Amino acid sequence: MKLNKINHEFVKLIPENIQDGKLYISLEYKCVVHNCCCGCKSEVVTPIDNNGWSFKEESGKITLNPSIGNFQLPCKSHYFINNNNVIWA
């Protein structure tokens, strides 16, 4: 089931069992991890750095840039995360 919203949680370490519909943000390890928003349960890791993704928190909501293109996964899903909304490409 495709998600249209996602929540977030700041963590030091990424939990072993990640929940659907949640972004885990580790500032210490400079990454964001979540299960693919299409519902396929694949783990998606986005490194946060100058050459990768960036994120901003505004009014308690997360925007992740650029888009998430899971072209290496069987689902081939592609979406944006903007203010905790999942916007499908």
Side-chain angles (χ1 to χ4, degrees):
M1 183 167 153
K2 285 185 176 182
L3 298 176
N4 292 314
K5 288 218 173 265
I6 195 163
N7 295 311
H8 66 278
E9 181 179 339
F10 287 96
V11 296
K12 180 178 179 181
L13 298 172
I14 304 301
E16 188 172 317
N17 296 314
I18 59 176
Q19 297 175 11
D20 289 343
K22 187 175 279 190
L23 291 174
Y24 295 92
I25 303 166
S26 174
L27 298 177
E28 185 168 335
Y29 293 99
K30 298 181 181 176
C31 69
V32 177
V33 177
H34 68 286
N35 280 342
C36 183
C37 291
C38 81
C40 73
K41 307 267 187 211
S42 295
E43 186 176 291
V44 178
V45 178
T46 51
I48 303 298
D49 62 28
N50 293 335
N51 298 319
W53 284 265
S54 65
F55 81 93
K56 69 177 181 178
E57 181 182 22
E58 196 169 359
S59 300
K61 298 191 180 208
I62 296 295
T63 296
L64 193 59
N65 283 306
S67 64
I68 307 295
N70 295 323
F71 307 117
Q72 78 283 7
L73 298 176
C75 66
K76 308 261 188 266
S77 63
H78 185 203
Y79 48 89
F80 297 84
I81 297 175
N82 189 331
N83 291 322
N84 286 42
N85 293 305
V86 179
I87 302 162
W88 291 91

